[in-house]
Amino acid sequence: MTDKKSLPKRCAAVLTGAALVAAALAGCTKTETAESGQLLESLRDKGTITVGFAGEAPYSFNENSQLTGATVALHREIFGNLGIETVDGVQTDFGALIPGLQANRFDAVSAGMSILPQRCEQAAFSEPEFMYTTALMVKSGNPLNLTDMQSIKDSGAKMTAMTGAIESDYASALGIDAAQVATPQDGMDAVTSGRADVFALTAISLNWLKNHTPGADVEVTPSFVAVIDGKPQVGAGGTVFRTSDPDLLAAYNAELAKITSDKDKYLSIVGEFGFTEAELPDPQYTTAKLCEGEI
């Protein structure tokens, strides 16, 4: 983690395995709450914001004991502009991020989380920060010739997906019995060991994982837009806040708009993590429309 301040008040170390799950359930850290609508001022006074992250590279992950990733880079830029200089992180399972936010274990979720109607009922999302597509990680040679979610269903392939991730929802909607894993590395391990034929995740995450795991006997399929009930599933992710913190959300969105409206500025922040103009949010895909399921 970066800038480990007030250690008794937050879990600055990255937690893994059983310790991670136990800490997430026990609430090893609780952020100091402010009166409804006043969190921004409280965070400015402290100079630190604590974000929850799931360790999915290249969005937000731990590397050499430092919190990094494209979402984290955006957060350091935006929160810095808001007078909050330090971004601390608490790692937890993806599926525990929104519950952890609601329990005040952190102030925001830094995970490039998909903006979905059911999630919008539980928390408040920023405007989109990234567009994304899905891809499949398979054994080298793609022995089952898998190309998209429907091909997984048709082939009867053994699939795995991250708990709480959008790919799990795709599988459920198509009637695919997908095994659940906690991290991208777990998904790759399932494929290389033969426990699964395919691991589905965002294309940029799978390509990052393959490129940073030399010698792994896997390949990543070309990316695609999943189709459920005949409707293409537009992928857009954002930062997640509590519904009781509208001041922080509004201020964040104002700064985010300055970045996403400037391609060069956007790429200067997230480009080093493999993000390109293809991931730059399309202005027509607003959070309001995504939350209503209109897109």
Side-chain angles (χ1 to χ4, degrees):
M1 300 303 154
T2 60
D3 301 311
K4 302 180 182 67
K5 294 183 179 180
S6 304
L7 290 179
K9 296 181 180 178
R10 58 174 58 85
C11 295
V14 172
L15 303 171
T16 58
L20 183 157
V21 175
L25 294 175
C28 64
T29 180
K30 286 205 173 189
T31 57
E32 296 176 11
T33 57
E35 292 183 24
S36 179
Q38 297 181 5
L39 181 58
L40 176 57
E41 195 60 37
S42 174
L43 294 175
R44 281 174 171 157
D45 289 343
K46 291 192 298 182
T48 301
I49 184 168
T50 302
V51 299
F53 70 104
E56 180 183 349
Y59 292 97
S60 50
F61 60 105
N62 183 60
E63 185 174 62
N64 300 323
S65 300
Q66 296 294 314
L67 180 60
T68 188
T71 309
V72 175
L74 276 175
H75 285 171
R76 290 197 172 115
E77 176 75 16
I78 291 173
F79 290 126
N81 290 342
L82 293 175
I84 306 166
E85 295 303 322
T86 302
V87 178
D88 276 349
V90 174
Q91 184 169 349
T92 189
D93 290 347
F94 191 91
L97 287 171
I98 288 181
L101 177 68
Q102 293 171 327
N104 297 317
R105 293 174 190 140
F106 23 85
D107 305 302
V109 171
S110 177
M113 186 177 285
S114 298
I115 304 169
L116 303 173
Q118 61 269 35
R119 290 175 178 164
C120 295
E121 294 175 359
Q122 305 172 52
F125 280 79
S126 72
E127 288 301 320
E129 298 166 338
F130 307 104
M131 305 300 293
Y132 65 83
T133 52
T134 302
L136 309 175
M137 177 173 281
V138 297
K139 277 286 188 70
S140 297
N142 194 2
L144 296 180
N145 195 31
L146 301 176
T147 57
D148 56 15
M149 297 300 299
Q150 189 63 45
S151 71
I152 297 175
K153 179 178 175 64
D154 293 343
S155 69
K158 295 180 293 183
M159 175 185 163
T160 191
M162 274 177 54
T163 301
I166 185 63
E167 294 78 22
S168 292
D169 294 339
Y170 295 159
S172 178
L174 291 171
I176 300 170
D177 185 17
Q180 304 293 297
V181 295
T183 69
Q185 185 62 55
D186 292 338
M188 172 183 270
D189 292 344
V191 173
T192 57
S193 69
R195 298 193 307 274
D197 299 310
V198 56
F199 174 43
L201 195 63
T202 59
I204 199 159
S205 295
L206 289 183
N207 283 309
W208 178 279
L209 182 58
K210 174 176 168 47
N211 292 338
H212 287 76
T213 315
D217 185 25
V218 296
E219 66 179 69
V220 176
T221 67
S223 64
F224 59 89
V225 174
V227 177
I228 305 296
D229 295 329
K231 182 179 179 181
Q233 304 298 298
V234 174
T239 293
V240 194
F241 301 91
R242 286 182 290 268
T243 56
S244 58
D245 299 326
D247 62 329
L248 184 59
L249 173 61
Y252 185 91
N253 276 335
E255 291 298 322
L256 176 63
K258 298 174 185 177
I259 296 172
T260 55
S261 63
D262 183 338
K263 179 186 70 174
D264 292 337
K265 177 69 171 177
Y266 179 80
L267 294 178
S268 73
I269 296 171
V270 303
E272 67 176 289
F273 299 100
F275 289 77
T276 68
E277 189 174 351
E279 283 75 45
L280 184 65
D282 185 327
Q284 70 173 307
Y285 297 128
T286 66
T287 292
K289 290 180 179 179
L290 290 162
C291 284
E292 291 297 324
E294 296 178 6
I295 299 174

